[in-house]
Amino acid sequence: MIGIGTWSFNVDTMFFRGEAQIKIFDNGGEYGFEVKIPGEDIPEIIVKDVVEDGNTLNAVGNISLLKGKDIPVSLTFEGDTASGFLKVPYVGKIKLKDGKKTG
């Protein structure tokens, strides 16, 4: 399994500018995810269809605010750094930059 740990990313969009934290963990042989934005109350995010491709995790996310809409997610890991993106319907591509392993 790749990317296990807690990661902090910089996010800069017209809707939000700040830090997002993603915890990736072993959930009984499958990937588990927890997403937090410090100081923000966000709805539950479900991550499914996780596929490893070298040092990249590709997955699909769903959130209650966008019922029935898939959110493709890609995270690439290089040691203790990472980067990636989300493709959010109606919003577009959101880059996850300057990822650092914090735990």
Side-chain angles (χ1 to χ4, degrees):
M1 297 185 102
I2 61 173
I4 300 295
T6 301
W7 299 84
S8 177
F9 293 92
N10 290 320
V11 178
D12 187 1
T13 71
M14 65 181 170
F15 302 108
F16 173 79
R17 178 175 292 152
E19 176 187 6
Q21 297 172 344
I22 301 173
K23 180 179 179 182
I24 304 171
F25 56 94
D26 182 344
N27 188 22
E30 295 184 12
Y31 281 97
F33 295 85
E34 290 178 12
V35 179
K36 294 181 183 177
I37 298 176
E40 300 289 330
D41 186 26
I42 62 172
E44 179 184 11
I45 298 170
I46 297 170
V47 180
K48 61 185 181 183
D49 300 333
V50 181
V51 176
E52 292 180 15
D53 183 11
N55 62 342
T56 299
L57 286 179
N58 294 304
V60 175
N62 295 107
I63 189 167
S64 61
L65 295 174
L66 297 171
K67 290 185 191 270
K69 301 290 184 188
D70 287 340
I71 302 169
V73 180
S74 183
L75 297 171
T76 301
F77 302 94
E78 297 287 342
D80 287 342
T81 64
S83 62
F85 63 87
L86 317 164
K87 289 185 181 176
V88 181
Y90 313 114
V91 175
K93 189 175 188 178
I94 297 175
K95 292 180 183 178
L96 302 172
K97 300 184 282 187
D98 306 320
K100 294 182 177 53
K101 192 169 188 178
T102 59

